Amino acid sequence: MAKKGGDKRLKRQLAPRFWRINRKSSRFILNSMPGPHTRKFSYPIGVVLRDLLHVCSNIREVKRSLNRGLISVDGKMIHNPNFPIGLMDTVEIKPSNEFYRFVPSKGIPLFPIKINSNEKNLKLEKIKSKVSSKKNLYQYCLHDGRTFLSKESYNVNDTCLIDLPKFGIKNHVQLKEGCTVIVTRGENAGNIGKVEEIKTGSFSLPKRILVSMGEKTVELPIDIVMAIGVDSSLIQVSK
């Protein structure tokens, strides 16, 4: 029978550089399965539980916890230890009633921060594409692969605050001058600032944004910037 879905293991030395793991212990580590986030910018849930949050001591305990339904991601129970955890995902540890949101921080694209239970069902989603559909509807695709139909006209690169696991749009943030944004990748990952100017792109240069961060102003590609609010973030995205 043909092999499906790629290798479930990954050599530790080849893991993404931002993974906070011991690279000199065993030779292999879990690999992220195809899913809502790319392997380049995600953690397998098994690595999260064992190496980041330290709620399990080994993969056997990880599998036991997942099979018993003790772990959920964005309000949905997960049973595969290779399931990818990415930007703005919320992991719930049911025995201890703890909630962690994965956000960029201090140059790292994914870092778990503890959040309050009243925010466990809220998630910021960046709009990646927009297509006209029938009956005057628009189809939107979000950064974690979710899609939805709406009569409301949003722009690509805007952000929606959604309620999970029942999908519902609670708020909308337009990416424009004066809004608050967070940098999701690169050396400025995790920095929060205000948009000063949006520059149009060209054939050889992508669309760019001037973001003021305290005393400095940086020019960044629009792909690595995410709107999170107007004067402040709609939800907690930093410690």
Side-chain angles (χ1 to χ4, degrees):
M1 187 174 179
K3 187 177 181 181
K4 298 181 180 180
D7 199 339
K8 295 182 180 180
R9 301 185 307 170
L10 176 70
K11 288 185 178 179
R12 287 177 178 265
Q13 297 296 334
L14 300 180
R17 295 181 63 183
F18 70 87
W19 282 21
R20 300 167 62 203
I21 59 174
N22 182 1
R23 296 179 186 268
K24 293 186 178 181
S25 56
S26 59
R27 185 178 182 184
F28 293 99
I29 195 169
L30 291 177
N31 197 7
S32 296
M33 62 181 283
H37 302 282
T38 63
R39 287 176 171 173
K40 188 176 181 181
F41 297 108
S42 66
Y43 272 110
I45 183 66
V47 175
V48 168
L49 297 176
R50 184 188 63 182
D51 300 291
L52 269 71
L53 304 181
H54 304 290
V55 297
C56 299
S57 59
N58 52 55
I59 295 301
R60 180 176 293 180
E61 289 186 8
V62 169
K63 292 180 179 179
R64 186 182 299 118
S65 299
L66 295 175
N67 290 334
R68 293 174 60 190
L70 302 180
I71 310 296
S72 65
V73 178
D74 291 341
K76 180 181 178 181
M77 284 191 297
I78 301 300
H79 300 288
N80 193 325
N82 298 89
F83 184 84
I85 305 299
L87 181 65
M88 297 297 169
D89 284 353
T90 298
V91 176
E92 178 182 357
I93 314 297
K94 294 185 178 180
S96 59
N97 198 31
E98 293 179 328
F99 308 92
Y100 295 89
R101 177 175 292 131
F102 279 74
V103 298
S105 176
K106 298 180 181 179
I108 302 173
L110 289 177
F111 182 82
I113 60 170
K114 186 177 288 189
I115 61 173
N116 295 325
S117 59
N118 59 349
E119 287 194 0
K120 67 177 183 178
N121 294 327
L122 299 178
K123 184 177 182 180
L124 290 172
E125 296 262 22
K126 184 175 181 179
I127 298 176
K128 302 297 289 185
S129 67
K130 174 183 178 181
V131 179
S132 297
S133 185
K134 297 179 180 179
K135 299 181 180 180
N136 298 322
L137 294 174
Y138 298 99
Q139 178 175 312
Y140 299 95
C141 181
L142 305 176
H143 78 265
D144 64 355
R146 286 186 173 89
T147 61
F148 70 96
L149 293 172
S150 176
K151 292 183 179 180
E152 298 292 333
S153 180
Y154 306 129
N155 297 322
V156 175
N157 295 315
D158 287 356
T159 301
C160 294
L161 178 65
I162 64 173
D163 188 13
L164 295 173
K166 293 182 178 180
F167 189 95
I169 298 178
K170 304 280 289 184
N171 208 333
H172 163 251
V173 182
Q174 185 178 359
L175 184 60
K176 61 180 181 179
E177 294 181 5
C179 75
T180 302
V181 296
I182 187 171
V183 184
T184 59
R185 298 198 300 270
E187 62 180 11
N188 291 298
N191 289 348
I192 297 175
K194 291 278 188 179
V195 175
E196 290 191 354
E197 182 183 355
I198 299 178
K199 296 185 176 182
T200 57
S202 62
F203 179 78
S204 59
L205 197 63
K207 198 172 183 179
R208 305 169 319 283
I209 295 181
L210 284 178
V211 181
S212 62
M213 304 173 184
E215 299 180 352
K216 68 176 182 178
T217 300
V218 295
E219 183 176 300
L220 301 168
I222 198 169
D223 289 344
I224 66 171
V225 174
M226 183 179 190
I228 57 175
V230 181
D231 297 323
S232 60
S233 178
L234 296 177
I235 58 176
Q236 183 181 351
V237 293
S238 60
K239 286 186 175 182

PDB file of all heavy atoms in Angstrom, residues 63-96:
ATOM      1  N   LYS A  63      -0.264  10.667  24.314  1.00  0.00           N
ATOM      2  CA  LYS A  63      -1.299   9.904  23.615  1.00  0.00           C
ATOM      3  C   LYS A  63      -2.428   9.516  24.560  1.00  0.00           C
ATOM      4  O   LYS A  63      -3.604   9.546  24.184  1.00  0.00           O
ATOM      5  CB  LYS A  63      -0.679   8.664  22.977  1.00  0.00           C
ATOM      6  CG  LYS A  63       0.282   8.976  21.831  1.00  0.00           C
ATOM      7  CD  LYS A  63       0.863   7.700  21.234  1.00  0.00           C
ATOM      8  CE  LYS A  63       1.792   8.021  20.068  1.00  0.00           C
ATOM      9  NZ  LYS A  63       2.398   6.796  19.485  1.00  0.00           N
ATOM     10  N   ARG A  64      -2.078   9.166  25.806  1.00  0.00           N
ATOM     11  CA  ARG A  64      -3.109   8.794  26.774  1.00  0.00           C
ATOM     12  C   ARG A  64      -4.015   9.991  27.085  1.00  0.00           C
ATOM     13  O   ARG A  64      -5.243   9.853  27.160  1.00  0.00           O
ATOM     14  CB  ARG A  64      -2.448   8.267  28.049  1.00  0.00           C
ATOM     15  CG  ARG A  64      -3.447   7.713  29.056  1.00  0.00           C
ATOM     16  CD  ARG A  64      -2.776   7.243  30.327  1.00  0.00           C
ATOM     17  NE  ARG A  64      -1.823   6.162  30.060  1.00  0.00           N
ATOM     18  CZ  ARG A  64      -0.532   6.236  30.283  1.00  0.00           C
ATOM     19  NH1 ARG A  64      -0.011   7.343  30.793  1.00  0.00           N
ATOM     20  NH2 ARG A  64       0.267   5.215  30.018  1.00  0.00           N
ATOM     21  N   SER A  65      -3.408  11.161  27.251  1.00  0.00           N
ATOM     22  CA  SER A  65      -4.195  12.359  27.543  1.00  0.00           C
ATOM     23  C   SER A  65      -5.100  12.738  26.374  1.00  0.00           C
ATOM     24  O   SER A  65      -6.260  13.118  26.565  1.00  0.00           O
ATOM     25  CB  SER A  65      -3.260  13.534  27.870  1.00  0.00           C
ATOM     26  OG  SER A  65      -2.476  13.259  29.013  1.00  0.00           O
ATOM     27  N   LEU A  66      -4.565  12.634  25.144  1.00  0.00           N
ATOM     28  CA  LEU A  66      -5.371  12.959  23.971  1.00  0.00           C
ATOM     29  C   LEU A  66      -6.519  11.978  23.794  1.00  0.00           C
ATOM     30  O   LEU A  66      -7.650  12.367  23.474  1.00  0.00           O
ATOM     31  CB  LEU A  66      -4.484  12.975  22.717  1.00  0.00           C
ATOM     32  CG  LEU A  66      -3.407  14.065  22.664  1.00  0.00           C
ATOM     33  CD1 LEU A  66      -2.538  13.889  21.425  1.00  0.00           C
ATOM     34  CD2 LEU A  66      -4.020  15.454  22.675  1.00  0.00           C
ATOM     35  N   ASN A  67      -6.257  10.708  24.000  1.00  0.00           N
ATOM     36  CA  ASN A  67      -7.300   9.690  23.838  1.00  0.00           C
ATOM     37  C   ASN A  67      -8.408   9.833  24.883  1.00  0.00           C
ATOM     38  O   ASN A  67      -9.565   9.466  24.625  1.00  0.00           O
ATOM     39  CB  ASN A  67      -6.688   8.288  23.911  1.00  0.00           C
ATOM     40  CG  ASN A  67      -5.846   7.967  22.691  1.00  0.00           C
ATOM     41  OD1 ASN A  67      -6.064   8.510  21.604  1.00  0.00           O
ATOM     42  ND2 ASN A  67      -4.858   7.086  22.851  1.00  0.00           N
ATOM     43  N   ARG A  68      -8.055  10.349  26.051  1.00  0.00           N
ATOM     44  CA  ARG A  68      -9.055  10.541  27.110  1.00  0.00           C
ATOM     45  C   ARG A  68      -9.815  11.860  26.951  1.00  0.00           C
ATOM     46  O   ARG A  68     -10.711  12.157  27.741  1.00  0.00           O
ATOM     47  CB  ARG A  68      -8.366  10.505  28.472  1.00  0.00           C
ATOM     48  CG  ARG A  68      -7.795   9.137  28.845  1.00  0.00           C
ATOM     49  CD  ARG A  68      -7.003   9.212  30.138  1.00  0.00           C
ATOM     50  NE  ARG A  68      -7.821   9.666  31.257  1.00  0.00           N
ATOM     51  CZ  ARG A  68      -7.323   9.991  32.445  1.00  0.00           C
ATOM     52  NH1 ARG A  68      -5.997   9.913  32.657  1.00  0.00           N
ATOM     53  NH2 ARG A  68      -8.114  10.387  33.410  1.00  0.00           N
ATOM     54  N   GLY A  69      -9.485  12.642  25.931  1.00  0.00           N
ATOM     55  CA  GLY A  69     -10.188  13.893  25.684  1.00  0.00           C
ATOM     56  C   GLY A  69      -9.860  15.001  26.662  1.00  0.00           C
ATOM     57  O   GLY A  69     -10.700  15.860  26.933  1.00  0.00           O
ATOM     58  N   LEU A  70      -8.631  15.002  27.196  1.00  0.00           N
ATOM     59  CA  LEU A  70      -8.236  15.990  28.195  1.00  0.00           C
ATOM     60  C   LEU A  70      -7.651  17.253  27.582  1.00  0.00           C
ATOM     61  O   LEU A  70      -7.410  18.230  28.296  1.00  0.00           O
ATOM     62  CB  LEU A  70      -7.215  15.382  29.166  1.00  0.00           C
ATOM     63  CG  LEU A  70      -7.665  14.123  29.916  1.00  0.00           C
ATOM     64  CD1 LEU A  70      -6.551  13.636  30.832  1.00  0.00           C
ATOM     65  CD2 LEU A  70      -8.935  14.396  30.702  1.00  0.00           C
ATOM     66  N   ILE A  71      -7.409  17.243  26.269  1.00  0.00           N
ATOM     67  CA  ILE A  71      -6.787  18.375  25.591  1.00  0.00           C
ATOM     68  C   ILE A  71      -7.686  18.812  24.439  1.00  0.00           C
ATOM     69  O   ILE A  71      -8.167  17.977  23.670  1.00  0.00           O
ATOM     70  CB  ILE A  71      -5.393  18.013  25.037  1.00  0.00           C
ATOM     71  CG1 ILE A  71      -4.529  17.340  26.123  1.00  0.00           C
ATOM     72  CG2 ILE A  71      -4.705  19.245  24.471  1.00  0.00           C
ATOM     73  CD1 ILE A  71      -4.217  18.220  27.303  1.00  0.00           C
ATOM     74  N   SER A  72      -7.888  20.105  24.319  1.00  0.00           N
ATOM     75  CA  SER A  72      -8.643  20.621  23.182  1.00  0.00           C
ATOM     76  C   SER A  72      -7.921  21.828  22.595  1.00  0.00           C
ATOM     77  O   SER A  72      -7.198  22.547  23.296  1.00  0.00           O
ATOM     78  CB  SER A  72     -10.067  21.007  23.592  1.00  0.00           C
ATOM     79  OG  SER A  72     -10.057  22.088  24.496  1.00  0.00           O
ATOM     80  N   VAL A  73      -8.126  22.044  21.302  1.00  0.00           N
ATOM     81  CA  VAL A  73      -7.537  23.177  20.579  1.00  0.00           C
ATOM     82  C   VAL A  73      -8.670  23.958  19.931  1.00  0.00           C
ATOM     83  O   VAL A  73      -9.445  23.399  19.148  1.00  0.00           O
ATOM     84  CB  VAL A  73      -6.537  22.699  19.510  1.00  0.00           C
ATOM     85  CG1 VAL A  73      -5.978  23.895  18.729  1.00  0.00           C
ATOM     86  CG2 VAL A  73      -5.409  21.910  20.144  1.00  0.00           C
ATOM     87  N   ASP A  74      -8.772  25.228  20.279  1.00  0.00           N
ATOM     88  CA  ASP A  74      -9.863  26.085  19.780  1.00  0.00           C
ATOM     89  C   ASP A  74     -11.226  25.468  20.057  1.00  0.00           C
ATOM     90  O   ASP A  74     -12.138  25.501  19.223  1.00  0.00           O
ATOM     91  CB  ASP A  74      -9.694  26.356  18.291  1.00  0.00           C
ATOM     92  CG  ASP A  74      -8.505  27.256  17.981  1.00  0.00           C
ATOM     93  OD1 ASP A  74      -8.045  27.937  18.912  1.00  0.00           O
ATOM     94  OD2 ASP A  74      -8.043  27.267  16.828  1.00  0.00           O
ATOM     95  N   GLY A  75     -11.362  24.849  21.221  1.00  0.00           N
ATOM     96  CA  GLY A  75     -12.636  24.275  21.629  1.00  0.00           C
ATOM     97  C   GLY A  75     -12.953  22.913  21.044  1.00  0.00           C
ATOM     98  O   GLY A  75     -14.031  22.376  21.288  1.00  0.00           O
ATOM     99  N   LYS A  76     -12.007  22.321  20.325  1.00  0.00           N
ATOM    100  CA  LYS A  76     -12.241  21.021  19.695  1.00  0.00           C
ATOM    101  C   LYS A  76     -11.240  20.004  20.237  1.00  0.00           C
ATOM    102  O   LYS A  76     -10.045  20.273  20.290  1.00  0.00           O
ATOM    103  CB  LYS A  76     -12.092  21.143  18.179  1.00  0.00           C
ATOM    104  CG  LYS A  76     -12.322  19.851  17.417  1.00  0.00           C
ATOM    105  CD  LYS A  76     -12.140  20.072  15.921  1.00  0.00           C
ATOM    106  CE  LYS A  76     -12.319  18.771  15.149  1.00  0.00           C
ATOM    107  NZ  LYS A  76     -12.120  18.961  13.680  1.00  0.00           N
ATOM    108  N   MET A  77     -11.740  18.826  20.634  1.00  0.00           N
ATOM    109  CA  MET A  77     -10.848  17.782  21.151  1.00  0.00           C
ATOM    110  C   MET A  77      -9.946  17.258  20.043  1.00  0.00           C
ATOM    111  O   MET A  77     -10.393  17.018  18.920  1.00  0.00           O
ATOM    112  CB  MET A  77     -11.661  16.637  21.758  1.00  0.00           C
ATOM    113  CG  MET A  77     -12.242  16.939  23.112  1.00  0.00           C
ATOM    114  SD  MET A  77     -12.927  15.470  23.933  1.00  0.00           S
ATOM    115  CE  MET A  77     -14.224  15.032  22.791  1.00  0.00           C
ATOM    116  N   ILE A  78      -8.677  17.082  20.367  1.00  0.00           N
ATOM    117  CA  ILE A  78      -7.675  16.598  19.420  1.00  0.00           C
ATOM    118  C   ILE A  78      -7.170  15.246  19.897  1.00  0.00           C
ATOM    119  O   ILE A  78      -6.895  15.058  21.091  1.00  0.00           O
ATOM    120  CB  ILE A  78      -6.501  17.598  19.306  1.00  0.00           C
ATOM    121  CG1 ILE A  78      -7.017  18.967  18.838  1.00  0.00           C
ATOM    122  CG2 ILE A  78      -5.446  17.075  18.355  1.00  0.00           C
ATOM    123  CD1 ILE A  78      -7.691  18.952  17.488  1.00  0.00           C
ATOM    124  N   HIS A  79      -7.021  14.293  18.974  1.00  0.00           N
ATOM    125  CA  HIS A  79      -6.578  12.943  19.337  1.00  0.00           C
ATOM    126  C   HIS A  79      -5.258  12.551  18.673  1.00  0.00           C
ATOM    127  O   HIS A  79      -4.700  11.522  19.026  1.00  0.00           O
ATOM    128  CB  HIS A  79      -7.660  11.928  18.968  1.00  0.00           C
ATOM    129  CG  HIS A  79      -8.971  12.169  19.659  1.00  0.00           C
ATOM    130  ND1 HIS A  79      -9.162  11.923  21.005  1.00  0.00           N
ATOM    131  CD2 HIS A  79     -10.148  12.649  19.190  1.00  0.00           C
ATOM    132  CE1 HIS A  79     -10.401  12.238  21.338  1.00  0.00           C
ATOM    133  NE2 HIS A  79     -11.022  12.682  20.258  1.00  0.00           N
ATOM    134  N   ASN A  80      -4.789  13.346  17.721  1.00  0.00           N
ATOM    135  CA  ASN A  80      -3.552  13.017  17.012  1.00  0.00           C
ATOM    136  C   ASN A  80      -2.397  13.828  17.586  1.00  0.00           C
ATOM    137  O   ASN A  80      -2.446  15.065  17.582  1.00  0.00           O
ATOM    138  CB  ASN A  80      -3.709  13.305  15.520  1.00  0.00           C
ATOM    139  CG  ASN A  80      -2.588  12.711  14.683  1.00  0.00           C
ATOM    140  OD1 ASN A  80      -1.438  12.647  15.115  1.00  0.00           O
ATOM    141  ND2 ASN A  80      -2.907  12.268  13.483  1.00  0.00           N
ATOM    142  N   PRO A  81      -1.324  13.193  18.090  1.00  0.00           N
ATOM    143  CA  PRO A  81      -0.200  13.942  18.674  1.00  0.00           C
ATOM    144  C   PRO A  81       0.573  14.773  17.654  1.00  0.00           C
ATOM    145  O   PRO A  81       1.374  15.618  18.041  1.00  0.00           O
ATOM    146  CB  PRO A  81       0.687  12.843  19.269  1.00  0.00           C
ATOM    147  CG  PRO A  81       0.337  11.610  18.516  1.00  0.00           C
ATOM    148  CD  PRO A  81      -1.111  11.731  18.181  1.00  0.00           C
ATOM    149  N   ASN A  82       0.335  14.550  16.354  1.00  0.00           N
ATOM    150  CA  ASN A  82       1.007  15.309  15.301  1.00  0.00           C
ATOM    151  C   ASN A  82       0.199  16.520  14.836  1.00  0.00           C
ATOM    152  O   ASN A  82       0.620  17.232  13.922  1.00  0.00           O
ATOM    153  CB  ASN A  82       1.302  14.418  14.095  1.00  0.00           C
ATOM    154  CG  ASN A  82       2.238  13.283  14.424  1.00  0.00           C
ATOM    155  OD1 ASN A  82       1.807  12.210  14.833  1.00  0.00           O
ATOM    156  ND2 ASN A  82       3.537  13.497  14.261  1.00  0.00           N
ATOM    157  N   PHE A  83      -0.966  16.755  15.442  1.00  0.00           N
ATOM    158  CA  PHE A  83      -1.806  17.875  15.017  1.00  0.00           C
ATOM    159  C   PHE A  83      -1.057  19.194  15.185  1.00  0.00           C
ATOM    160  O   PHE A  83      -0.470  19.455  16.236  1.00  0.00           O
ATOM    161  CB  PHE A  83      -3.098  17.900  15.837  1.00  0.00           C
ATOM    162  CG  PHE A  83      -4.072  18.955  15.402  1.00  0.00           C
ATOM    163  CD1 PHE A  83      -4.945  18.710  14.360  1.00  0.00           C
ATOM    164  CD2 PHE A  83      -4.095  20.195  16.028  1.00  0.00           C
ATOM    165  CE1 PHE A  83      -5.848  19.686  13.959  1.00  0.00           C
ATOM    166  CE2 PHE A  83      -4.988  21.176  15.635  1.00  0.00           C
ATOM    167  CZ  PHE A  83      -5.868  20.917  14.586  1.00  0.00           C
ATOM    168  N   PRO A  84      -1.060  20.086  14.150  1.00  0.00           N
ATOM    169  CA  PRO A  84      -0.270  21.321  14.223  1.00  0.00           C
ATOM    170  C   PRO A  84      -0.945  22.428  15.020  1.00  0.00           C
ATOM    171  O   PRO A  84      -2.138  22.678  14.883  1.00  0.00           O
ATOM    172  CB  PRO A  84      -0.129  21.721  12.745  1.00  0.00           C
ATOM    173  CG  PRO A  84      -1.348  21.164  12.085  1.00  0.00           C
ATOM    174  CD  PRO A  84      -1.680  19.897  12.823  1.00  0.00           C
ATOM    175  N   ILE A  85      -0.165  23.094  15.857  1.00  0.00           N
ATOM    176  CA  ILE A  85      -0.607  24.256  16.630  1.00  0.00           C
ATOM    177  C   ILE A  85       0.090  25.480  16.049  1.00  0.00           C
ATOM    178  O   ILE A  85       1.316  25.513  15.933  1.00  0.00           O
ATOM    179  CB  ILE A  85      -0.249  24.110  18.118  1.00  0.00           C
ATOM    180  CG1 ILE A  85      -0.825  22.807  18.674  1.00  0.00           C
ATOM    181  CG2 ILE A  85      -0.766  25.306  18.907  1.00  0.00           C
ATOM    182  CD1 ILE A  85      -2.323  22.708  18.601  1.00  0.00           C
ATOM    183  N   GLY A  86      -0.699  26.491  15.659  1.00  0.00           N
ATOM    184  CA  GLY A  86      -0.123  27.658  15.004  1.00  0.00           C
ATOM    185  C   GLY A  86      -0.599  28.970  15.601  1.00  0.00           C
ATOM    186  O   GLY A  86      -1.093  29.032  16.733  1.00  0.00           O
ATOM    187  N   LEU A  87      -0.473  30.021  14.808  1.00  0.00           N
ATOM    188  CA  LEU A  87      -0.716  31.392  15.243  1.00  0.00           C
ATOM    189  C   LEU A  87      -2.133  31.582  15.790  1.00  0.00           C
ATOM    190  O   LEU A  87      -3.114  31.235  15.136  1.00  0.00           O
ATOM    191  CB  LEU A  87      -0.474  32.348  14.068  1.00  0.00           C
ATOM    192  CG  LEU A  87      -0.654  33.842  14.340  1.00  0.00           C
ATOM    193  CD1 LEU A  87       0.379  34.325  15.342  1.00  0.00           C
ATOM    194  CD2 LEU A  87      -0.552  34.636  13.040  1.00  0.00           C
ATOM    195  N   MET A  88      -2.230  32.099  16.996  1.00  0.00           N
ATOM    196  CA  MET A  88      -3.471  32.455  17.691  1.00  0.00           C
ATOM    197  C   MET A  88      -4.312  31.255  18.131  1.00  0.00           C
ATOM    198  O   MET A  88      -5.440  31.432  18.608  1.00  0.00           O
ATOM    199  CB  MET A  88      -4.334  33.398  16.844  1.00  0.00           C
ATOM    200  CG  MET A  88      -3.688  34.737  16.568  1.00  0.00           C
ATOM    201  SD  MET A  88      -3.403  35.671  18.091  1.00  0.00           S
ATOM    202  CE  MET A  88      -2.362  37.011  17.494  1.00  0.00           C
ATOM    203  N   ASP A  89      -3.789  30.040  18.011  1.00  0.00           N
ATOM    204  CA  ASP A  89      -4.517  28.868  18.505  1.00  0.00           C
ATOM    205  C   ASP A  89      -4.532  28.874  20.036  1.00  0.00           C
ATOM    206  O   ASP A  89      -3.573  29.321  20.687  1.00  0.00           O
ATOM    207  CB  ASP A  89      -3.861  27.572  18.018  1.00  0.00           C
ATOM    208  CG  ASP A  89      -4.161  27.297  16.554  1.00  0.00           C
ATOM    209  OD1 ASP A  89      -4.980  28.033  15.969  1.00  0.00           O
ATOM    210  OD2 ASP A  89      -3.582  26.348  16.000  1.00  0.00           O
ATOM    211  N   THR A  90      -5.614  28.348  20.611  1.00  0.00           N
ATOM    212  CA  THR A  90      -5.749  28.240  22.062  1.00  0.00           C
ATOM    213  C   THR A  90      -5.779  26.772  22.468  1.00  0.00           C
ATOM    214  O   THR A  90      -6.599  26.008  21.965  1.00  0.00           O
ATOM    215  CB  THR A  90      -7.032  28.934  22.555  1.00  0.00           C
ATOM    216  OG1 THR A  90      -6.959  30.326  22.231  1.00  0.00           O
ATOM    217  CG2 THR A  90      -7.176  28.779  24.063  1.00  0.00           C
ATOM    218  N   VAL A  91      -4.882  26.384  23.362  1.00  0.00           N
ATOM    219  CA  VAL A  91      -4.816  25.018  23.873  1.00  0.00           C
ATOM    220  C   VAL A  91      -5.388  25.001  25.283  1.00  0.00           C
ATOM    221  O   VAL A  91      -4.972  25.786  26.149  1.00  0.00           O
ATOM    222  CB  VAL A  91      -3.361  24.496  23.882  1.00  0.00           C
ATOM    223  CG1 VAL A  91      -3.293  23.107  24.510  1.00  0.00           C
ATOM    224  CG2 VAL A  91      -2.799  24.465  22.463  1.00  0.00           C
ATOM    225  N   GLU A  92      -6.341  24.105  25.517  1.00  0.00           N
ATOM    226  CA  GLU A  92      -6.969  23.974  26.828  1.00  0.00           C
ATOM    227  C   GLU A  92      -6.510  22.685  27.504  1.00  0.00           C
ATOM    228  O   GLU A  92      -6.601  21.606  26.918  1.00  0.00           O
ATOM    229  CB  GLU A  92      -8.492  23.967  26.696  1.00  0.00           C
ATOM    230  CG  GLU A  92      -9.221  23.775  28.021  1.00  0.00           C
ATOM    231  CD  GLU A  92     -10.720  23.717  27.875  1.00  0.00           C
ATOM    232  OE1 GLU A  92     -11.211  23.879  26.729  1.00  0.00           O
ATOM    233  OE2 GLU A  92     -11.406  23.516  28.892  1.00  0.00           O
ATOM    234  N   ILE A  93      -6.004  22.809  28.715  1.00  0.00           N
ATOM    235  CA  ILE A  93      -5.620  21.662  29.536  1.00  0.00           C
ATOM    236  C   ILE A  93      -6.747  21.459  30.552  1.00  0.00           C
ATOM    237  O   ILE A  93      -6.835  22.162  31.562  1.00  0.00           O
ATOM    238  CB  ILE A  93      -4.276  21.891  30.253  1.00  0.00           C
ATOM    239  CG1 ILE A  93      -3.229  22.474  29.291  1.00  0.00           C
ATOM    240  CG2 ILE A  93      -3.794  20.606  30.893  1.00  0.00           C
ATOM    241  CD1 ILE A  93      -2.867  21.574  28.144  1.00  0.00           C
ATOM    242  N   LYS A  94      -7.611  20.501  30.306  1.00  0.00           N
ATOM    243  CA  LYS A  94      -8.844  20.385  31.093  1.00  0.00           C
ATOM    244  C   LYS A  94      -8.613  19.979  32.550  1.00  0.00           C
ATOM    245  O   LYS A  94      -9.290  20.509  33.448  1.00  0.00           O
ATOM    246  CB  LYS A  94      -9.803  19.411  30.404  1.00  0.00           C
ATOM    247  CG  LYS A  94     -10.294  19.935  29.059  1.00  0.00           C
ATOM    248  CD  LYS A  94     -11.327  19.032  28.425  1.00  0.00           C
ATOM    249  CE  LYS A  94     -11.818  19.625  27.107  1.00  0.00           C
ATOM    250  NZ  LYS A  94     -12.837  18.793  26.445  1.00  0.00           N
ATOM    251  N   PRO A  95      -7.688  19.054  32.870  1.00  0.00           N
ATOM    252  CA  PRO A  95      -7.524  18.692  34.294  1.00  0.00           C
ATOM    253  C   PRO A  95      -7.137  19.875  35.176  1.00  0.00           C
ATOM    254  O   PRO A  95      -7.611  19.994  36.309  1.00  0.00           O
ATOM    255  CB  PRO A  95      -6.417  17.637  34.246  1.00  0.00           C
ATOM    256  CG  PRO A  95      -6.507  17.058  32.876  1.00  0.00           C
ATOM    257  CD  PRO A  95      -6.886  18.196  31.985  1.00  0.00           C
ATOM    258  N   SER A  96      -6.288  20.774  34.659  1.00  0.00           N
ATOM    259  CA  SER A  96      -5.842  21.925  35.458  1.00  0.00           C
ATOM    260  C   SER A  96      -6.614  23.193  35.133  1.00  0.00           C
ATOM    261  O   SER A  96      -6.358  24.241  35.746  1.00  0.00           O
ATOM    262  CB  SER A  96      -4.344  22.172  35.226  1.00  0.00           C
ATOM    263  OG  SER A  96      -4.085  22.416  33.848  1.00  0.00           O
TER     264      SER A  96
END
